[in-house]
C-alpha cells in the first residue's frame, strides 16, 4: 500500500539530513578545491568537543534508523529497488563519516570530557542520572553475552553498590566512581579504556532491542523505586542496633532465630503473647526462604523492618531502634499457661512448616513424573487399598537392597515411614510417596525421571523371595502378640 503522511514526512526529513551530511563530508570536490573545503570544515568544527561528539552520535542514530526503515521496505519494481539500495548506501556513508568524526573528537578529549560523553550516551532520558535500565543497555553493549533479564539484574546490583545518594540511580559522581572501579578490576584505568567503552556503547550491535527498551521504559520508575527501598533496607541491616537486636533474640547463640525465640523476643517488646505468636508465624512463613525453620540475620532484619513498617504510628527503624533494643535486653516473664501454649504452638508450627516444604516440593514435580510415581506406587501397593503400609514399603525397598540384611531394610522402612507419614496414620499415601521419591532422587544425586523409570522396571521384574515374605509374616505376628499383651496389661 502507499505510505501514509507520517512516513512521507519522516522519509523527507531523513533524506534532507542525508543530502546535507553527504554533500558536506562525503563527495570529494575537484582537487584544486580540496584544500579550501578542508579549511572550511576546520573553521566550522565546534570548539566544544562534547557537543560535537553528541552531534555525531545523533547523526549515527538517525542514519541507522533510516537504514533500518529502508531495509524493511519492499521495492515495487527494479527502479524502486535501485532507489532503496542507494538510500541505504547513503545512510551507511553518513554513519561511517559520523563514526570517523566521533573517533577524531574522542582522540582530542580530556578524560573528564570522555567520562561526561559516556555518561550522556547512557543517560537516554537526559534526567542527569543513569538508572538501572539505561545502565543495563550499556552493559549488554559492552559485554554482549547477557540477556535482558541478566543485564538488568547486574545493573541493579551495580546501582545499589555505587549509589551513595540514595536516589536509586547513578549521578555523575557515582557513575564516575563505578567506571573507575570497573577499569581497576580490569587491571587498567579509565584513560586506557575510555575510548573503547564509548565506541562499544555507540557502535555495538548488541544491547537492548526496541521491544526491550520499550519494556524497560515501562518498568524503569518501578525499578528505581525498588532500588531505593532496598538501599534503605540495606542501611538498616548494617545498623549496629539491628545487629544487637539479633543477638538478643538469638538466645542459644547459634547464629539463627528460631520460632520460639521470635515469640520470646517479641513478647519482651510488646508484652503480648498472642500478638507475638502471630508475628512469629508470619516471620517463619514469609521470611524463611531457605526452609531452615529459623531466620538468619538478613531474614530476621527484613522481618523487623516489616514489623516497624506495619506499625500504626508509622514509625521508622531509627525512631524505635533504641527502645526495641533496650526492651529486648530484659528478661521475659511467662505464666505456666503461656509456656505450655508456646510449646504446643511450636509443635504445630513444625507441622505447618513441614507441610509448606512438602507443597513447595510437589509444585516442582511435573505431570509426567506424578504419573510415574503413581505407577511405582501401584506396583508396591499389593493389597490395592491406595496406601502403603509398613510391610508393603519394606517389600518395595527390598527389591533394590538384595545385598543388605533384611533387618537393615526394615530399619530404613521404619525411618522413612516416620519421616514421610505427614498425617500420622502409619501409612504412606500417594502424595507422601511422591515426596519420598523426590527426596530419594535428590539425595542420590540422580534425575527423578531416570530414577522412577529404573525403579518401575525393577519392581515389575523382581519378585520378593519366600524367605522375605516369611520374615515379614513372622514380624507381623510378633507385633500382633505385643499389641495383645499391651491390651491385657491395660
Amino acid at each position: 500500500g502507499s505510505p501514509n503522511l507520517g512516513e512521507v514526512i519522516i522519509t523527507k526529513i531523513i533524506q534532507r539530513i542525508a543530502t546535507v551530511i553527504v554533500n558536506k563530508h562525503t563527495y570529494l570536490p575537484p582537487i584544486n578545491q580540496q584544500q579550501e573545503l578542508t579549511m572550511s570544515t576546520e573553521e566550522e568544527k565546534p570548539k566544544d568537543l562534547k557537543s560535537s561528539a553528541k552531534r555525531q552520535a545523533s547523526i549515527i542514530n538517525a542514519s541507522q534508523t533510516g537504514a533500518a526503515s529502508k531495509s524493511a521496505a519492499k521495492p515495487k519494481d527494479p527502479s524502486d529497488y535501485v532507489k532503496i539500495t542507494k538510500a541505504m548506501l547513503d545512510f551507511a556513508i553518513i554513519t561511517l563519516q559520523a563514526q570517523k568524526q566521533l573517533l577524531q573528537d574522542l582522540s582530542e578529549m580530556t578524560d573528564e570530557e570522555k567520562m561526561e560523553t559516556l555518561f550522556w550516551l547512557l543517560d537516554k532520558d537526559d534526567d542527569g542520572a543513569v538508572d538501572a535500565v539505561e545502565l543495563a543497555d550499556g552493559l549488554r553493549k559492552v559485554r554482549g553475552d547477557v540477556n535482558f533479564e541478566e543485564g538488568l539484574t547486574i545493573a541493579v546490583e551495580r546501582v545499589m553498590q555505587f549509589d551513595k545518594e540514595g536516589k536509586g540511580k547513578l549521578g555523575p559522581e557515582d557513575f564516575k566512581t563505578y567506571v573507575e572501579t570497573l577499569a581497576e578490576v580490569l587491571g587498567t584505568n579509565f584513560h586506557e579504556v575510555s575510548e573503547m567503552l564509548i565506541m562499544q556503547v555507540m557502535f555495538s550491535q548488541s544491547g537492548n532491542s526496541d521491544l526491550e527498551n520499550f519494556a524497560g521504559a515501562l518498568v524503569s520508575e518501578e525499578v528505581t523505586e525498588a532500588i531505593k527501598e532496598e538501599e534503605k533496607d540495606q542501611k538498616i541491616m548494617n545498623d549496629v542496633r539491628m545487629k544487637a537486636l539479633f543477638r538478643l533474640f538469638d538466645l542459644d547463640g547459634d547464629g539463627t532465630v528460631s520460632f520460639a525465640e521470635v515469640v520470646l523476643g517479641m513478647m519482651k517488646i510488646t508484652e503480648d503473647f498472642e500478638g507475638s505468636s502471630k508475628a512469629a508465624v508470619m516471620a517463619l512463613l514469609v521470611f524463611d526462604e531457605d526452609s531452615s525453620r529459623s531466620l538468619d540475620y538478613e531474614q530476621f532484619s527484613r522481618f523487623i523492618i516489616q514489623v516497624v513498617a506495619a506499625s500504626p504510628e508509622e514509625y521508622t527503624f531509627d525512631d524505635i531502634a533504641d527502645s526495641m533494643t533496650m526492651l529486648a535486653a530484659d528478661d521475659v516473664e511467662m505464666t505456666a499457661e503461656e509456656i505450655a501454649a508456646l510449646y504446643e504452638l511450636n509443635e504445630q508450627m513444625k507441622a505447618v512448616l513441614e507441610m509448606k516444604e512438602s507443597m513447595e516440593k510437589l509444585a516442582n514435580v511435573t505431570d509426567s513424573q506424578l504419573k510415574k510415581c503413581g505407577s511405582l506406587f501401584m506396583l508396591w501397593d499389593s493389597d490395592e487399598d491406595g496406601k502403603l503400609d509398613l510391610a508393603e514399603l519394606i517389600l518395595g525397598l527390598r527389591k533394590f537392597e538384595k545385598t543388605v540384611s533384611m533387618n537393615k531394610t526394615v530399619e530404613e522402612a521404619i525411618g522413612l515411614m516416620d519421616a514421610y507419614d505427614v498425617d500420622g496414620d502409619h501409612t504412606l499415601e500417594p502424595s507422601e510417596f511422591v515426596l519420598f521419591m523426590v527426596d530419594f532422587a535428590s539425595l542420590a544425586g540422580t534425575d527423578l525421571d531416570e530414577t522412577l523409570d529404573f525403579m518401575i522396571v525393577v519392581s515389575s521384574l523382581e519378585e520378593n523371595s519366600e524367605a522375605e515374605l516369611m520374615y515379614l509374616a513372622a514380624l507381623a505376628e510378633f507385633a500382633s502378640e505385643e499389641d495383645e499383651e499391651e491390651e491385657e496389661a491395660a
Side-chain angles (χ1 to χ4, degrees):
S2 59
N4 59 39
L5 181 60
E7 291 176 341
V8 171
I9 293 173
I10 292 172
T11 301
K12 291 291 185 183
I13 292 172
I14 292 175
Q15 288 175 343
R16 176 60 182 156
I17 294 173
T19 301
V20 172
I21 302 300
V22 169
N23 286 342
K24 183 174 179 180
H25 294 291
T26 305
Y27 298 144
L28 294 177
I31 297 297
N32 60 358
Q33 295 181 18
Q34 287 189 26
Q35 185 175 3
E36 180 182 348
L37 178 61
T38 301
M39 293 174 63
S40 174
T41 303
E42 289 176 353
E43 290 173 0
E44 293 174 4
K45 180 179 178 181
K47 293 182 180 180
D48 186 347
L49 293 172
K50 289 184 295 179
S51 297
S52 177
K54 291 178 180 181
R55 177 170 172 270
Q56 304 310 319
S58 298
I59 291 172
I60 292 169
N61 287 331
S63 59
Q64 288 177 339
T65 301
S69 175
K70 287 297 179 184
S71 177
K74 295 181 179 180
K76 302 173 185 176
D77 50 47
S79 175
D80 195 33
Y81 173 79
V82 172
K83 290 180 181 178
I84 291 174
T85 302
K86 182 179 181 301
M88 291 178 64
L89 289 173
D90 285 342
F91 284 127
I93 292 171
I94 296 169
T95 300
L96 290 171
Q97 288 290 340
Q99 288 176 339
K100 181 179 178 182
Q101 183 60 51
L102 178 60
L103 292 175
Q104 179 62 35
D105 293 339
L106 287 175
S107 68
E108 299 175 17
M109 283 184 184
T110 64
D111 285 350
E112 183 179 352
E113 289 173 323
K114 291 175 185 176
M115 183 71 77
E116 292 175 359
T117 300
L118 181 59
F119 183 86
W120 174 82
L121 288 170
L122 293 176
D123 180 19
K124 294 179 181 179
D125 59 6
D126 238 0
D127 67 345
V130 175
D131 62 35
V133 174
E134 292 169 334
L135 184 59
D137 185 35
L139 287 170
R140 292 187 69 194
K141 287 180 177 179
V142 173
R143 293 186 54 170
D145 60 344
V146 293
N147 60 33
F148 178 73
E149 185 178 348
E150 293 168 337
L152 187 56
T153 300
I154 295 171
V156 167
E157 292 173 353
R158 298 298 175 267
V159 171
M160 288 181 56
Q161 182 180 358
F162 292 94
D163 174 26
K164 303 306 180 187
E165 300 176 12
K167 295 181 178 179
K169 303 179 181 181
L170 297 182
E173 288 302 315
D174 293 335
F175 180 78
K176 180 181 179 181
T177 303
Y178 163 59
V179 175
E180 289 175 344
T181 303
L182 175 63
E184 187 177 335
V185 170
L186 295 173
T188 181
N189 54 57
F190 180 70
H191 178 76
E192 297 295 330
V193 299
S194 56
E195 293 182 20
M196 179 195 74
L197 291 174
I198 293 173
M199 287 168 60
Q200 285 179 321
V201 171
M202 269 306 308
F203 305 154
S204 174
Q205 296 302 309
S206 57
N208 296 341
S209 65
D210 290 339
L211 181 60
E212 289 169 337
N213 277 326
F214 178 73
L218 291 178
V219 302
S220 177
E221 187 173 340
E222 184 179 339
V223 170
T224 298
E225 288 302 313
I227 291 173
K228 288 167 65 175
E229 287 302 314
E230 182 62 21
E231 287 174 343
K232 289 179 183 177
D233 290 352
Q234 290 294 331
K235 183 179 179 181
I236 294 174
M237 289 181 195
N238 292 327
D239 194 305
V240 293
R241 294 169 296 181
M242 180 66 81
K243 295 177 180 178
L245 198 60
F246 178 77
R247 289 193 294 270
L248 290 170
F249 270 67
D250 180 18
L251 298 175
D252 59 7
D254 67 348
T256 63
V257 176
S258 67
F259 172 78
E261 288 173 333
V262 175
V263 175
L264 294 172
M266 291 302 297
M267 270 196 69
K268 294 178 183 179
I269 297 171
T270 66
E271 297 182 345
D272 177 5
F273 177 75
E274 184 177 351
S276 299
S277 300
K278 290 179 179 178
V281 170
M282 183 269 286
L284 271 292
L285 290 179
V286 176
F287 297 98
D288 177 24
E289 296 176 352
D290 54 0
S291 299
S292 64
R293 304 185 189 182
S294 60
L295 303 180
D296 61 23
Y297 178 71
E298 181 177 342
Q299 294 165 344
F300 172 82
S301 299
R302 294 192 185 281
F303 161 64
I304 294 296
I305 290 170
Q306 182 65 36
V307 169
V308 173
S311 64
E313 294 83 1
E314 297 185 357
Y315 289 128
T316 66
F317 181 73
D318 277 334
D319 293 333
I320 58 176
D322 292 330
S323 58
M324 286 182 73
T325 305
M326 286 188 291
L327 289 170
D330 292 338
D331 292 330
V332 61
E333 295 183 5
M334 296 179 66
T335 65
E337 291 78 9
E338 287 175 337
I339 293 173
L342 176 59
Y343 176 81
E344 183 178 350
L345 191 60
N346 193 46
E347 293 302 309
Q348 291 174 353
M349 193 61 197
K350 287 180 182 178
V352 170
L353 292 175
E354 286 175 359
M355 185 64 69
K356 174 176 176 277
E357 293 163 15
S358 299
M359 295 303 295
E360 289 172 350
K361 290 177 183 177
L362 288 175
N364 295 322
V365 179
T366 65
D367 289 341
S368 173
Q369 291 168 340
L370 285 174
K371 289 178 181 177
K372 291 178 181 179
C373 284
S375 298
L376 183 61
F377 183 88
M378 286 189 290
L379 288 170
W380 287 18
D381 182 19
S382 56
D383 60 7
E384 299 181 0
D385 65 348
K387 297 181 179 181
L388 294 183
D389 58 28
L390 182 60
E392 289 169 330
L393 183 58
I394 292 171
L395 290 176
L397 292 172
R398 190 61 190 165
K399 293 181 179 181
F400 305 91
E401 298 184 344
K402 297 295 185 182
T403 59
V404 301
S405 68
M406 191 67 178
N407 285 341
K408 180 67 173 176
T409 303
V410 171
E411 289 175 6
E412 288 182 1
I414 293 172
L416 291 172
M417 186 66 75
D418 288 340
Y420 294 95
D421 176 23
V422 178
D423 57 9
D425 65 350
H426 305 295
T427 63
L428 293 186
E429 297 177 357
S431 60
E432 295 167 338
F433 182 73
V434 172
L435 292 174
F436 157 59
M437 289 307 307
V438 170
D439 285 346
F440 178 81
S442 176
L443 291 171
T446 57
D447 178 75
L448 179 57
D449 281 297
E450 293 177 0
T451 301
L452 288 168
D453 289 339
F454 170 72
M455 295 183 75
I456 288 171
V457 171
V458 173
S459 295
S460 300
L461 299 177
E462 286 284 342
E463 295 289 343
N464 293 110
S465 67
E466 287 294 328
E468 290 168 346
L469 294 173
M470 290 175 63
Y471 181 97
L472 280 183
L475 192 64
E477 185 178 348
F478 176 76
S480 177
E481 290 175 356
E482 280 197 333
D483 290 341
E484 289 177 2
E485 290 177 0
E486 288 178 1
E487 288 177 4
E488 290 176 0

